[in-house]
Amino acid sequence: MKWFRKKDEQPIKPSIKEHQAEKLGQLGSQLASLRQEKGLNLDELVGLTRIPRRLLQAIEEGNLNDLPEPIYIQGLIRQFAEALGVRGAEFASHFPIGSQSVGVKSHWKAQAVPQLRPIHLYLLYIGLIFCSVNGLSQLLNNATLQANNRQIQPNTAAQSKGQETASNTLLSKKEHQSVQIGVTLKTSSWISVVTDGKTAFEGVLPQGSSRTWNATDQMTVKTDNAGGVLMSVNQQEAKEMGEIGKSKEIKIAAKPNS
């Protein structure tokens, strides 16, 4: 029994979490050194990668707890490396993204592992990263649109008598106070929208997309690329939130209608 215990215990390596943290620390340190050699700061990297500054800083510092799931971390590392002139896919492949390497044992270890080692597996990982990021963004957008529709429908049913075009003005009628924000993306950018103290949306919107949000008290809009976002308040002329590649936060309070 002692012989079997020793044999079983030897393959147990540090956990996948520890391995990921170690690799992230190594890769983040290399990226930080390369960025400094090129004379770039993190704010400039935000404009090049469209990645929020807090995520870039977490990668450089090897802070795994401040980053999303491993598969998304690998995608962020790839974008970071490519912005610095490095082969992103090859560089990011050194970061482990799954628990297969430590969780697969006995029968599968003898058969499945040798078959999952070809080079094209890494290309499949990269494709999964793109699909996952795009899918997550679409799910978040759809969930936000459905939530907005549920909020607007009760007001529309109560005030829509004889007014087919009232959908954009219902929340600004007489006894109510409201504010409406519309955004149009010139370039793909990260956006956060908080309406009346609740997060209505947070994620990356693709180039050319348009979104509208309403609040009865106050609305806060943040972006990591102010020059790539056109924002209009209460259907007024849309204007850029700020400079390209710069972070911006705008708070707008609703005013009572006369």
Side-chain angles (χ1 to χ4, degrees):
M1 293 300 293
K2 292 182 179 179
W3 183 82
F4 282 107
R5 267 196 209 109
K6 290 182 179 179
K7 189 173 182 180
D8 289 340
E9 289 173 357
Q10 285 185 7
I12 300 177
K13 304 288 183 180
S15 69
I16 185 63
K17 203 78 173 179
E18 294 173 345
H19 187 45
Q20 288 171 342
E22 179 183 357
K23 282 296 183 182
L24 180 63
Q26 296 172 358
L27 298 175
S29 178
Q30 294 176 28
L31 290 171
S33 298
L34 184 57
R35 173 180 62 77
Q36 293 170 2
E37 289 177 5
K38 291 182 175 292
L40 297 172
N41 57 42
L42 284 177
D43 289 331
E44 291 173 321
L45 259 296
V46 169
L48 293 174
T49 63
R50 302 290 187 270
I51 298 174
R53 191 181 192 280
R54 60 184 177 81
L55 298 182
L56 294 176
Q57 186 172 357
I59 291 173
E60 288 193 350
E61 295 176 353
N63 193 343
L64 194 64
N65 293 330
D66 288 346
L67 292 168
E69 295 299 320
I71 192 169
Y72 300 119
I73 296 176
Q74 191 179 71
L76 295 173
I77 293 174
R78 177 188 59 76
Q79 290 180 259
F80 198 156
E82 287 178 350
L84 296 176
V86 179
R87 292 182 179 178
E90 181 179 348
F91 186 86
S93 67
H94 295 290
F95 178 78
I97 63 172
S99 58
Q100 292 88 344
S101 59
V102 296
V104 180
K105 298 184 183 295
S106 69
H107 301 295
W108 286 105
K109 189 172 183 179
Q111 299 179 1
V113 173
Q115 297 176 8
L116 296 175
R117 293 288 185 180
I119 299 298
H120 66 262
L121 186 57
Y122 292 109
L123 299 178
L124 178 60
Y125 285 154
I126 301 302
L128 287 173
I129 292 171
F130 281 113
C131 294
S132 299
V133 171
N134 290 335
L136 180 61
S137 178
Q138 291 178 0
L139 286 174
L140 291 173
N141 292 344
N142 290 337
T144 302
L145 288 175
Q146 291 176 3
N148 288 341
N149 288 336
R150 293 191 194 102
Q151 295 173 1
I152 292 174
Q153 284 175 359
N155 293 327
T156 304
Q159 300 181 16
S160 62
K161 295 179 181 180
Q163 298 191 26
E164 297 179 355
T165 61
S167 59
N168 292 326
T169 59
L170 282 175
L171 296 179
S172 62
K173 292 291 181 181
K174 292 188 178 180
E175 64 265 23
H176 295 282
Q177 59 181 20
S178 66
V179 61
Q180 182 185 81
I181 294 296
V183 297
T184 301
L185 279 296
K186 295 171 58 181
T187 59
S188 177
S189 306
W190 175 87
I191 286 182
S192 171
V193 179
V194 177
T195 60
D196 299 331
K198 297 181 180 180
T199 300
F201 176 79
E202 183 176 6
V204 177
L205 290 177
Q207 180 180 0
S209 61
S210 297
R211 296 288 186 273
T212 301
W213 293 275
N214 296 283
T216 58
D217 186 15
Q218 180 174 287
M219 184 176 296
T220 302
V221 182
K222 298 180 184 178
T223 181
D224 63 345
N225 182 25
V229 181
L230 293 174
M231 187 180 77
S232 65
V233 180
N234 293 333
Q235 300 182 350
Q236 297 178 1
E237 181 181 359
K239 298 180 181 179
E240 293 179 353
M241 291 183 63
E243 298 179 11
I244 191 76
K246 297 293 185 180
S247 298
K248 185 74 173 182
E249 176 178 330
I250 296 178
K251 293 184 178 181
I252 301 174
K255 295 181 180 180
N257 294 294
S258 57

